[in-house]
Structure formats: C-alpha cells, structure tokens
Amino acid sequence: MATASPAPALRREGTVLHLAGALDRAAATAAWPAVAGLLDGADTLDLSAVTRLDSAGLALLAEAAARIGQRGTPATLVGAPAGLAELRAAYRLDDDLDYADAAP
C-alpha cells in the first residue's frame, strides 16, 4: 500500500513562491488552498526543490502560473524537477505552462 505524500513545503519571499518536496496527486490536492493563498503578488514559481512531479502536480503548477499570468505577465519558473519536460510535452504546455499553439 502506497503512503500519501506530505504536502509540499511552501514559502513566499517577496514575489517568489518556493515549492519543495513532492507534487503528486495527494500532495497537490492538499497544497492547493495554501498555494492559492500565496499567489497574490507572486510572479515567480521556484521549483528548484521539487523532488517528484506527476500530472496532478503539473495541474497545480499550471493553474498557479495561469493565475499569475492573469495580471498580464507570464509567471517565471525557476528550476525544472525531473519529469517536468515530459509532462509538459504530453499535455502540450509551453515553457510558461500555458497551452502551446496547435501544430499546423
């Protein structure tokens, strides 16, 4: 039986939201209320200390980036946890975690 991942550690420093630990289904679900509460005024998501990422974690990051981007400037992402590039490609997301333009 798999154990649930603890919620990731979240820390806000100025305009940077630092995320650390696993961002899998259980952790992302538990973390969303805290992440949402820390987004006001944030412009950067620091993923340098994210240890594991799955599609639910990617969904959390994409929603956070979208909320930051609603203010007119795309979110800046720092760090690339293992699996991020593959998940972005699978879900056709660009570097800003927004949907990439459809291929012609």
Side-chain angles (χ1 to χ4, degrees), residues 63-86:
E63 179 62 22
R67 289 190 183 197
I68 290 170
Q70 288 175 342
R71 290 180 251 144
T73 303
T76 300
L77 275 75
V78 175
L84 177 61
E86 293 84 359

Side-chain angles (χ1 to χ4, degrees), residues 84-104:
L84 177 61
E86 293 84 359
L87 285 167
R88 277 189 25 244
Y91 289 95
R92 298 183 188 143
L93 300 176
D94 62 20
D95 291 341
D96 298 327
L97 299 182
D98 196 5
Y99 285 103
D101 292 333

Side-chain angles (χ1 to χ4, degrees), residues 10-103:
L10 306 171
R11 183 179 86 247
R12 177 80 185 273
E13 289 182 359
T15 61
V16 180
L17 176 56
H18 300 270
L19 296 97
L23 279 180
D24 59 15
R25 182 175 156 240
T29 301
W32 176 247
V35 169
L38 293 171
L39 289 175
D40 189 33
D43 64 12
T44 301
L45 300 173
D46 184 349
L47 311 178
S48 301
V50 172
T51 57
R52 187 171 61 248
L53 182 69
D54 70 8
S55 59
L58 179 66
L60 177 140
L61 295 175
E63 179 62 22
R67 289 190 183 197
I68 290 170
Q70 288 175 342
R71 290 180 251 144
T73 303
T76 300
L77 275 75
V78 175
L84 177 61
E86 293 84 359
L87 285 167
R88 277 189 25 244
Y91 289 95
R92 298 183 188 143
L93 300 176
D94 62 20
D95 291 341
D96 298 327
L97 299 182
D98 196 5
Y99 285 103
D101 292 333

